[in-house]
Structures are given as structure tokens and as C-alpha cells.
Amino acid sequence: MLISKSKGSVLKNTQTMVILSLFIALSIVLGKQISFTVGAIRISFENLPILMSGIFFGPIAGAIVGACADIIGCLVTGYSINPIITLGAISIGFISGMLFKTTSVDNLKWKLILSIGISHIVGSMVIKSIGLYIYYHYAISILILRVPLYIVIGSLETTIIYMLIQNNAFKNQLDRITSRL
């Protein structure tokens, strides 16, 4: 099943809320604590839990996880909240969930490549780069480096999510959770 088919809200299910909260915490840890900064470029997997929430639980869940992870992560670490970067995180969760849910591609691998690739193009490469340019005045020559960076990171995230979905134990648990929605 992999994604909720119900007409009800995923936010009405306590078990799903707990999982989404864990995705928020994981995104904060991966993005703010376990990351590598090289000059103006930060290398992290903060978007992996955001993508997973969108793909597994739908676009609204992905958007909520993206927003909460960015805002809470900034508050916890002392970063200033940049609303454009928050919008980028929201779009990553929403677009990945929406494309995964509505795309008519039957091949799981290509469906993930499309969903994650477009999410990163819009959210990471365009929106977040605009936020970095406007608020922090990063040079375009630095921001352009985000394109190859997110091609690599997106490829790794796609591989991780694909491997999780292919794992029978993980897939069975995910199907058990999403069937209740």
C-alpha cells in the first residue's frame, strides 16, 4: 500500500502522529547536529525524514514535518528562522508526497526518482537558495554548488528510501500503520 488511501486525516491517528514526531526529531538531528559544513554549503540528510513522511503518509504530513523540523531545529540550535527556507522544507515534504501519490508511473524506483528529484529541484535548489541569497547574501557562484550537491544527496536519499520499501519487514510495518488511516 505504501501510502494512506483513506479520506481521513493522518493527524487523527496517534500512532502516525508519534511517527511524524520522530521524523521531525530525526530531521533536526540529521540537519543541525550530524552535518558537515564546508564554507557556505552544509551537507546533511535533514530532508530524508521529510521526504519519507511525505511519501509514506501523504503531502500534508510531509509539509507539517518539513515546517516543524525547520522551525524547531532553528529554535533548538539558535539559528534565526528564515521563512523562505522554511517554505523550502515545507515544499520538499508536500511535493514528494503529492507526486508519489498522484504520479502514474508504475515502477517504484522511477516514481521515487521523480518525486524526490522534483522535490529537491523546487525546495532545495530553488526556494532554499533564494532564501540564502536574500537573507544571507550568499554569492550565486556558491549557491550554484547546491545543484550537484543535491543531485548526490537526492540520489542517496532515493536509494535509502527504495531499500527501506524493498525490505519486507519494513514494508509490512508501514502497510500495517497506513492501513489504519
Side-chain angles (χ1 to χ4, degrees):
M1 188 151 130
L2 291 181
I3 196 163
S4 172
K5 302 283 189 207
S6 75
K7 293 183 172 86
S9 171
V10 295
L11 303 179
K12 292 181 183 176
N13 182 312
T14 306
Q15 185 176 21
T16 304
M17 292 290 291
V18 169
I19 292 168
L20 296 180
S21 299
L22 290 171
F23 279 151
I24 291 167
L26 184 59
S27 179
I28 293 168
V29 169
L30 291 174
K32 307 293 193 266
Q33 306 299 322
I34 304 174
S35 62
F36 305 97
T37 303
V38 180
I41 302 294
R42 189 177 74 209
I43 302 168
S44 76
F45 286 97
E46 68 186 327
N47 293 316
L48 180 61
I50 298 170
L51 291 162
M52 291 170 64
S53 63
I55 290 168
F56 298 155
F57 298 103
I60 301 300
I64 290 170
V65 169
C68 292
D70 187 68
I71 293 168
I72 295 169
C74 287
L75 294 173
V76 168
T77 59
Y79 293 175
S80 61
I81 296 171
N82 180 330
I84 299 173
I85 291 178
T86 302
L87 179 62
I90 291 168
S91 69
I92 289 168
F94 184 82
I95 292 169
S96 65
M98 184 58 69
L99 288 177
F100 191 83
K101 183 178 181 179
T102 60
T103 302
S104 61
V105 176
D106 289 333
N107 184 303
L108 174 63
K109 190 180 292 184
W110 283 106
K111 196 171 196 171
L112 287 171
I113 290 169
L114 180 70
S115 300
I116 293 169
I118 292 176
S119 296
H120 274 306
I121 290 168
V122 174
S124 300
M125 295 179 200
V126 175
I127 296 174
K128 287 184 179 182
S129 294
I130 290 169
L132 292 171
Y133 180 77
I134 290 173
Y135 278 82
Y136 305 113
H137 308 292
Y138 284 165
I140 300 291
S141 59
I142 297 295
L143 294 174
I144 205 77
L145 294 174
R146 293 172 60 81
V147 173
L149 173 68
Y150 279 100
I151 290 172
V152 172
I153 289 174
S155 299
L156 292 171
E157 290 168 336
T158 301
T159 302
I160 291 167
I161 294 172
Y162 179 77
M163 289 171 54
L164 284 171
I165 293 172
Q166 292 301 306
N167 180 291
N168 285 332
F170 182 87
K171 185 176 184 233
N172 289 339
Q173 288 301 313
L174 184 61
D175 286 345
R176 186 179 62 80
I177 293 165
T178 57
S179 68
R180 295 179 187 176
L181 300 177

